[in-house]
Amino acid sequence: MNMRFIALAVSSAFLAIVLPLKIVFDDFHTLWVDVCIWIVSAVFAADMFFSIRRRKVRGQRVMTQYVKMWLVIDAISIIPVAVFLPHSPLQLIQLLKVIHITSFLQEYTRRKPRNAAFLRLGQFGYIILVAIHWIACAWMSIRPENRADDITRYIKSLYWATTTVATVGYGDITPNTNNEMIFAIGVMLFGVVMYGYLIGNIASLLNNMDPARVHHQENLDRVHAFMRYRNIPHELEQKINEYFNYIWEKRLSYDESSVMAMLPAGLKTEVSLYLKREVIERVSMFRNASDEFIKDIAAHIHPSIVLPGEFVFKAGETARSMYFISRGVVQVISTDNETIATLSDGDFFGEMALLHKRKRNASVRASDFTDLYVLDVATFERIVEEHPDFKLQLEETAEQRSK
Ligand code: CMP
């Protein structure tokens, strides 16, 4: 969060709290309060000055936009009306600056959506507290009570404002005059609307704070509902639960392809390279490969998870892909049911049938949760044609394995 926003937020919060108090209480007409108001005006003036300077650099169009939208508001909010008219509600005009700050905040959350939920929650809290404070001050000016001291009057009003806005309404402080009753009706209506608005928004805000967890939980709930509905046996249910735990722990809960589809080609390649960096670093034949080849491979391999004991494929099956192991262990099992090799992180398999255009010569079974990256046959054929080095290395490995 930048310094400009913090300075503006603190200044406007000060005004929002002090100005209504200044209208109601004489005690707030002191030198230090006036000095603080002058400081706030100076902050607003500096902000206007820097806003104009920044926009001038960015060109005429941006400058005209600023003049049309914000110049008047920014200029008015510099005037410290409260210093000259201490009892007049006109001093609240300085709070116009809040409109500009809100738009600044919206722009900030659009650019940095990661903090948006926290900021909106903070904004809600701020609005509620300031609203209750204003209602309390307004209530004091409508209902003069000379017997109590200022602090007691303020606390009593704050208490009334809070119970009324929260629609609790204990009834221990009740409106007597017409004005008081009309004001109380307004505050109650405001409370009801605010309450509904808050309940709706806070639920969605809390969800937005950890969207990945919500997404995962929704998937889990759907699968559990399905399992109950179709009476899935307990053992199978256990396996499904383990799978969901695993993809949550390994952060594989999101469907990558749907997110990637939203990105332009250049960004897609960058994100692919980042997501697949582990497998790219681990597979030995990728280490010395050209950038072009790595980008091509990264864009076309997609993740897949195999559970412990599950077969990736069986001997004799038609080959549709080859596989790179990102993490985990698999066993290569011959047609005689013998384990002929154990492959782990950075190894690959399934290349022989694709190279020689024949059926699988062995089965492959995972001994642990295994993260694989899959290269489909069509892309495999294109890539071996375009990158003879890759083909050569695969052929060498296949030959050694045949022996
Ligand atoms: P493919 O024939 O497509 O399917 C079975 C795979 O097991 C095979 O490709 C190889 O990738 C792998 N494989 C077969 N024999 C061996 C071996 N001796 N060592 C390691 N991997 C093997």
Side-chain angles (χ1 to χ4, degrees):
M1 186 59 72
N2 69 19
M3 282 307 289
R4 177 191 170 204
F5 177 75
I6 294 173
L8 290 178
V10 171
S11 305
S12 62
F14 171 80
L15 287 185
I17 292 165
V18 167
L19 294 186
L21 289 172
K22 216 168 172 336
I23 298 172
V24 183
F25 295 123
D26 287 337
D27 285 358
F28 275 80
H29 302 160
T30 59
L31 182 66
W32 73 263
V33 173
D34 285 353
V35 168
C36 290
I37 290 171
W38 277 111
I39 293 173
V40 168
S41 291
V43 170
F44 288 175
D47 177 63
M48 184 172 154
F49 171 74
F50 287 119
S51 292
I52 292 175
R53 217 176 62 167
R54 228 186 5 254
R55 280 166 172 100
K56 254 189 185 162
V57 177
R58 284 166 62 192
Q60 187 58 41
R61 201 178 57 82
V62 183
M63 187 64 201
T64 319
Q65 203 181 17
Y66 173 77
V67 172
K68 271 193 201 155
M69 283 177 70
W70 302 117
L71 188 68
V72 177
I73 286 181
D74 280 0
I76 290 175
S77 57
I78 292 175
I79 309 165
V81 186
V83 176
F84 308 112
L85 303 169
H87 283 293
S88 166
L90 213 64
Q91 58 188 274
L92 297 178
I93 205 165
Q94 227 185 334
L95 280 169
L96 274 176
K97 186 76 178 178
V98 172
I99 304 173
H100 196 168
I101 298 172
T102 311
S103 113
F104 179 72
L105 194 65
Q106 274 169 357
E107 176 66 19
Y108 177 83
T109 47
R110 200 179 51 74
R111 274 188 283 125
K112 293 222 168 104
R114 193 178 270 219
N115 304 333
F118 286 104
L119 281 175
R120 281 191 65 199
L121 215 56
Q123 222 180 337
F124 274 142
Y126 174 77
I127 291 171
I128 293 170
L129 291 179
V130 168
I132 289 175
H133 169 67
W134 281 40
I135 291 167
C137 290
W139 180 246
M140 276 189 292
S141 62
I142 291 174
R143 185 185 173 110
E145 201 179 311
N146 298 325
R147 276 171 294 153
D149 61 292
D150 284 352
I151 293 178
T152 315
R153 274 180 65 207
Y154 176 69
I155 292 174
K156 261 184 156 181
S157 301
L158 207 58
Y159 166 78
W160 176 84
T162 312
T163 51
T164 314
V165 167
T167 64
V168 175
Y170 289 118
D172 48 353
I173 302 175
T174 47
N176 299 323
T177 65
N178 285 355
N179 281 349
E180 285 171 19
M181 278 193 267
I182 290 169
F183 183 67
I185 290 171
V187 175
M188 280 186 272
L189 289 178
F190 169 77
V192 171
V193 172
M194 182 112 134
Y195 197 64
Y197 184 75
L198 269 185
I199 296 291
N201 274 279
I202 286 188
S204 82
L205 270 182
L206 291 178
N207 279 350
N208 286 343
M209 281 185 169
D210 196 352
R213 184 178 286 278
V214 173
H215 175 78
H216 181 73
Q217 193 58 47
E218 277 172 5
N219 286 345
L220 209 56
D221 290 347
R222 256 210 316 271
V223 171
H224 273 273
F226 170 78
M227 290 193 295
R228 262 200 312 274
Y229 180 59
R230 297 301 297 264
N231 273 336
I232 300 284
H234 185 66
E235 259 178 37
L236 200 51
E237 185 178 334
Q238 204 71 12
K239 268 188 169 178
I240 293 174
N241 284 341
E242 276 173 25
Y243 165 74
F244 272 97
N245 281 341
Y246 181 78
I247 61 167
W248 173 249
E249 277 168 19
K250 295 282 178 261
R251 297 177 178 270
L252 298 168
S253 202
Y254 263 112
D255 174 18
E256 268 173 41
S257 53
S258 62
V259 178
M260 296 292 240
M262 291 188 279
L263 302 177
L267 273 182
K268 215 183 275 183
T269 312
E270 264 185 61
V271 177
S272 286
L273 282 173
Y274 177 76
L275 291 176
K276 292 157 190 172
R277 69 194 182 287
E278 275 188 5
V279 73
I280 289 170
E281 281 163 12
R282 281 179 191 158
V283 176
S284 56
M285 73 174 150
F286 291 166
R287 267 181 224 137
N288 304 320
S290 66
D291 279 0
E292 191 203 348
F293 171 76
I294 296 290
K295 278 183 188 164
D296 201 0
I297 279 274
H300 291 98
I301 49 177
H302 59 269
S304 169
I305 294 165
V306 198
L307 306 189
E310 196 181 299
F311 280 90
V312 181
F313 53 71
K314 287 192 175 163
E317 281 181 9
T318 307
R320 294 198 178 84
S321 340
M322 79 166 281
Y323 303 82
F324 300 93
I325 306 175
S326 174
R327 206 174 316 170
V329 182
V330 298
Q331 285 176 327
V332 181
I333 300 166
S334 70
T335 39
D336 314 330
N337 233 0
E338 266 180 46
T339 301
I340 47 176
T342 301
L343 305 175
S344 60
D345 303 13
D347 289 330
F348 57 86
F349 59 89
E351 78 293 355
M352 289 165 114
L354 293 186
L355 277 174
H356 304 131
K357 299 205 178 352
R358 60 173 197 218
K359 304 273 181 194
R360 299 291 188 197
N361 68 4
S363 308
V364 174
R365 189 176 59 199
S367 337
D368 197 355
F369 272 105
T370 304
D371 298 348
L372 298 175
Y373 276 94
V374 185
L375 181 65
D376 68 78
V377 60
T379 321
F380 174 88
E381 277 169 6
R382 180 183 61 75
I383 287 185
V384 288
E385 205 162 289
E386 286 174 14
H387 304 277
D389 285 359
F390 176 58
K391 187 177 183 186
L392 208 69
Q393 290 194 49
L394 285 182
E395 278 172 345
E396 276 172 14
T397 315
E399 206 179 303
Q400 277 171 13
R401 285 176 172 176
S402 304
K403 283 180 192 160

